[in-house]
């Protein structure tokens, strides 16, 4: 393997791992802030418990997201220095705003929220959480602005072979970013919805397994209590049934939102990156039909070996143009057009190294784009369908006793995660062979594009990249085990894991406490550190 391929694997692995945390952080943050708002308005104890339990899982995921995200910035300078030089003038503004305006605000107010329980006024405390959550959403927008410029470069002028920003407004209002942003937020809410649904199903199942909740002759739930188990009272039941229903509704709404924004995004891709969308449909020749299933050597870039087995007439035209009749250019038509515009071989130059003169493969790996596109839609639809089924199954107030259904509900948490990952991989892999795709609009700036082969650091060897890949991969594996263990631990413990006062009610004798329950004591049963850590 050469340095370019290893560098791409390294960036892909670390970015996909980091991206697992991002949608859950954004989506769960919005849900937790809404739960605390309901507690602030109603003072109902179930909303406080929901806020603290889901808030604790939100914090675990947020911390891991920060730790894994730091690596991305270092990779830009270490493995992708030529890329950094090329995009630096454009990326400086959105990434600086992301760090200064969004991340610092997010971190500051999240800290105030963590340590502000019983120390800040309820309204101020709620404001801190909303400020942190909104900052995370704004942070996502700035990141998407940078990424969307790679997909559709605008607002620049090419000076000495380097794009220089001339219109910041055009960069920040790039139509690609304006569509990608709601699509990403809806995807994040889908992840949060499935997460709530799966965990709440497990907790309701545990209540039935422990004999706390039963079902009467009318098949409706009879809510019980068990004082011997901390926190297992009737309020606990309300926490989980409402969390399940909130998660199911959020999952279904988010799928509808991703479908609508995805359709708009797809139409933009047909205009801006026609080869990406042609490869996603395995559309080798011009036509109007959408391929439901194609067979052949899809893993190659040779369209002659691909045959559509199941296809729907007119759907491809609708996805591209909004009608059912207009022909859409296929791969075989687009290849000569790309070769005429951007050349058939990589140009000579020191930044290409041994890759100079190699033939440019304008067709991305179709097995990735074709199946990535379908996995994105399929897993998203599966999560939405599961949410609908969950609402129907629990209409009488609880979940079935079947352990298999419980395991299926928990495994269903992965569906929107996989949909998000598949969509991200499709978006990035489908842009190849460009790291900055050209703008095909006639009004676009000619020459603003960059081959991925030119982006990797010329002074970094394959051995150095392999070493860093192994080290980072090992560290990320450890972090994955740690986060999974923490999530599983606190999910199994339920609400008392975030509210230890449920296990040790105020006034309960505690020899270890020695009667010291003054405000701020590290031994206080409901000490804030027990919630945060």
């Amino acid at each position: 393997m050469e340095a370019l391929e290893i560098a791409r694997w390294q960036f892909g692995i670390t970015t996909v791992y980091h991206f697992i945390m991002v949608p859950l952080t954004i989506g769960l943050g919005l849900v937790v802030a809404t739960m605390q708002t309901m507690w602030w308005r109603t003072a109902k104890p179930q909303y406080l418990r929901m806020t603290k339990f889901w808030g604790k899982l939100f914090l675990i995921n947020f911390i891991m997201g920060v730790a894994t995200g730091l690596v991305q910035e270092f990779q830009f300078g270490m493995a992708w220095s030529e890329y950094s030089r090329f995009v630096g003038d454009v990326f400086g503004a959105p990434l600086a705003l992301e760090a200064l305006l969004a991340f610092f605000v997010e971190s500051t107010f999240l800290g105030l929220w963590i340590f502000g329980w019983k120390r800040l006024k309820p309204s101020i405390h709620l404001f801190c959480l909303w400020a942190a959550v909104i900052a995370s959403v704004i942070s996502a927008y700035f990141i998407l602005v940078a990424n969307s410029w790679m997909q559709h470069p605008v607002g620049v002028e090419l000076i000495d072979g380097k794009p220089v920003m001339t219109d910041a407004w055009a960069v920040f209002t790039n139509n690609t970013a304006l569509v990608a942003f709601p699509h990403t937020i809806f995807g994040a809410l889908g992840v949060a919805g499935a997460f709530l649904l799966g965990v709440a199903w497990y907790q309701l199942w545990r209540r039935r397994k422990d004999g706390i909740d039963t079902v009467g002759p009318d098949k409706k739930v009879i809510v019980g209590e068990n004082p011997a188990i901390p926190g297992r009272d009737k309020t606990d039941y309300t926490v989980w049934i409402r969390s399940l229903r909130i998660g199911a509704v959020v999952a279904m709404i988010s799928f509808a939102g991703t479908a609508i924004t995805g359709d708009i995004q797809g139409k933009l891709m047909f205009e801006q990156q026609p080869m990406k969308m042609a490869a996603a449909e395995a559309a080798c020749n011009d036509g109007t039909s959408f391929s439901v299933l194609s067979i052949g050597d899809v893993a190659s870039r040779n369209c002659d070996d691909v045959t559509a087995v199941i296809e729907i007439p007119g759907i491809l035209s609708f996805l591209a143009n909004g009608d059912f009749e207009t022909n859409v250019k296929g791969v075989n038509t687009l290849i000569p057009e790309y070769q005429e515009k951007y050349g058939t071989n990589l140009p000579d130059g020191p930044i290409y190294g041994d890759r100079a003169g190699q033939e440019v493969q304008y067709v991305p790996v179709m097995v990735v784009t074709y199946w990535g596109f379908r996995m994105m839609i399929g897993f998203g639809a599966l999560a939405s369908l599961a949410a609908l089924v969950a609402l129907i199954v629990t209409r009488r107030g609880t979940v079935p006793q079947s352990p298999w259904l419980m395991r299926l509900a928990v495994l269903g948490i992965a569906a929107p995660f996989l949909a998000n990952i598949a969509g991200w991989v499709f978006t990035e892999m489908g842009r190849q062979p460009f790291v900055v795709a050209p703008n095909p609009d006639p009004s676009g700036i000619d020459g603003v594009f960059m081959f991925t082969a030119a982006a990797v650091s010329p002074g970094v060897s394959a051995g150095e990249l392999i070493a860093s890949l192994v080290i980072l991969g090992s560290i990320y594996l450890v972090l994955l085990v740690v986060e999974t263990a923490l999530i599983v631990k606190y999910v199994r413990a339920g609400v008392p894991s975030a509210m230890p006062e449920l296990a040790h009610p105020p006034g309960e004798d505690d020899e270890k406490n020695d009667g010291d329950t003054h405000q701020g004591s590290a031994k206080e049963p409901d000490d804030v550190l027990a919630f945060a850590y």
Side-chain angles (χ1 to χ4, degrees):
M1 295 176 68
E2 62 173 2
L4 173 62
E5 189 174 356
I6 301 169
R8 290 182 63 189
W9 272 106
Q10 176 177 293
F11 197 87
I13 291 171
T14 55
T15 302
V16 167
Y17 183 89
H18 172 63
F19 192 68
I20 294 174
M21 321 296 179
V22 172
L24 184 58
T25 296
I26 295 173
L28 195 56
L30 290 168
V31 172
V32 171
T34 303
M35 290 173 176
Q36 185 166 347
T37 301
M38 294 303 297
W39 174 59
W40 178 70
R41 293 187 61 185
T42 66
K44 292 182 178 179
Q46 59 264 31
Y47 289 119
L48 174 61
R49 294 190 187 187
M50 292 163 70
T51 299
K52 287 209 168 186
F53 174 77
W54 297 112
K56 186 156 191 169
L57 301 185
F58 163 72
L59 289 176
I60 293 171
N61 191 74
F62 174 83
I63 293 167
M64 286 296 182
V66 172
T68 56
L70 291 174
V71 177
Q72 310 306 311
E73 286 81 358
F74 290 106
Q75 287 192 107
F76 287 144
M78 296 173 66
W80 299 94
S81 59
E82 292 298 329
Y83 161 82
S84 299
R85 291 189 183 96
F86 187 78
V87 303
D89 186 80
V90 181
F91 275 29
L95 294 185
L97 287 172
E98 189 273 334
L100 297 173
L101 184 61
F103 182 73
F104 284 172
V105 171
E106 182 181 7
S107 303
T108 299
F109 281 99
L110 194 59
L112 289 171
W113 182 69
I114 293 172
F115 297 102
W117 289 97
K118 297 185 179 181
R119 291 166 173 81
L120 298 174
K121 291 182 179 180
S123 58
I124 300 299
H125 188 246
L126 176 61
F127 170 80
C128 290
L129 178 58
W130 273 112
V133 170
I134 292 173
S136 71
V137 174
I138 295 174
S139 175
Y141 182 74
F142 287 134
I143 295 297
L144 287 170
V145 164
N147 181 265
S148 295
W149 189 86
M150 294 163 59
Q151 312 286 343
H152 181 227
V154 294
V156 296
E157 180 180 351
L158 198 64
I159 300 177
D160 296 330
K162 179 182 177 181
V164 177
M165 186 187 297
T166 57
D167 188 347
W169 179 253
V171 173
F172 282 95
T173 59
N174 189 342
N175 58 359
T176 306
L178 295 178
V179 175
F181 176 66
H183 189 69
T184 301
I185 298 302
F186 278 121
L189 286 171
V191 168
F195 189 68
L196 262 69
L197 194 158
V199 173
W201 188 295
Y202 166 76
Q203 289 290 348
L204 288 169
W205 175 82
R206 281 289 303 272
R207 287 179 63 92
R208 291 208 62 186
K209 180 177 180 292
D210 294 339
I212 301 173
D213 298 333
T214 56
V215 174
D218 58 355
K219 301 296 181 71
K220 292 184 179 180
V221 64
I222 300 175
V223 181
E225 294 184 331
N226 188 345
I229 305 177
R232 287 303 195 191
D233 51 18
K234 292 184 178 181
T235 301
D236 182 68
Y237 162 81
T238 306
V239 166
W240 302 122
I241 193 64
R242 291 195 179 178
S243 292
L244 186 147
R245 287 172 177 163
I246 290 171
V249 171
V250 168
M252 290 190 294
I253 293 175
S254 68
F255 177 71
T258 53
I260 294 170
T261 55
D263 177 65
I264 301 172
Q265 195 174 36
K267 288 177 171 57
L268 279 179
M269 284 188 187
F270 273 108
E271 295 176 7
Q272 298 169 358
Q273 299 181 58
M275 184 65 81
K276 176 192 290 188
M277 293 307 294
E281 304 303 335
C284 296
N285 301 305
D286 300 356
T288 64
S289 298
F290 174 83
S291 167
V292 178
L293 178 63
S294 293
I295 61 173
D297 190 10
V298 183
S300 73
R301 294 180 169 89
N302 185 2
C303 262
D304 296 335
D305 297 330
V306 179
T307 303
V309 176
I310 304 174
E311 55 185 8
I312 305 174
I315 299 300
L316 184 60
S317 296
F318 176 78
L319 292 174
N321 304 299
D323 60 51
F324 297 93
E325 302 172 352
T326 305
N327 265 353
V328 178
K329 292 181 179 179
V331 170
N332 292 330
T333 300
L334 291 169
I335 288 177
E337 293 183 5
Y338 273 69
Q339 289 176 337
E340 182 180 357
K341 289 181 180 179
Y342 313 115
T344 58
N345 300 83
L346 293 174
D348 293 329
I351 60 175
Y352 289 98
D354 296 338
R355 297 180 292 277
Q358 291 181 0
E359 182 181 358
V360 180
Q361 293 284 353
Y362 287 107
V363 184
V365 181
M366 281 195 291
V367 70
V368 175
T369 55
Y370 184 83
W371 289 112
F373 187 72
R374 279 146 187 79
M375 288 173 63
M376 173 182 64
I377 298 173
F379 281 119
L382 182 62
S384 178
L385 178 62
L388 177 61
V389 171
L391 285 178
I392 295 173
V393 170
T394 60
R395 68 190 183 278
R396 297 186 183 275
T398 191
V399 300
Q401 281 187 302
S402 169
W404 292 105
L405 281 178
M406 180 274 293
R407 294 187 184 101
L408 192 61
V410 173
L411 287 175
I413 295 174
F417 277 105
L418 294 173
N420 274 265
I421 291 172
W424 193 256
V425 170
F426 161 70
T427 300
E428 299 306 302
M429 289 288 290
R431 189 179 63 244
Q432 301 306 314
F434 302 102
V435 69
V436 176
N439 183 351
D441 191 321
S443 62
I445 306 299
D446 291 336
V448 181
F449 65 88
M450 187 182 202
F451 289 115
T452 305
V456 69
S457 300
V460 179
S461 67
E464 290 170 331
L465 286 168
I466 290 175
S468 63
L469 175 59
V470 171
I471 293 171
L472 286 174
S474 301
I475 294 173
Y476 274 36
L477 181 60
V478 171
L479 291 176
L480 177 62
V481 172
V482 170
E483 177 171 19
T484 303
L486 287 173
I487 294 290
V488 170
K489 173 184 175 181
Y490 291 118
V491 164
R492 286 179 172 174
V495 175
S497 66
M499 298 182 68
E501 61 267 29
L502 295 176
H504 303 282
E508 181 181 87
D509 292 335
D510 189 346
E511 295 181 359
K512 295 181 180 179
N513 200 22
D514 293 330
D516 183 10
T517 57
H518 66 273
Q519 182 71 26
S521 170
K523 298 178 181 179
E524 186 177 354
D526 60 348
D527 180 36
V528 66
L529 293 179
F531 161 70
Y533 304 114

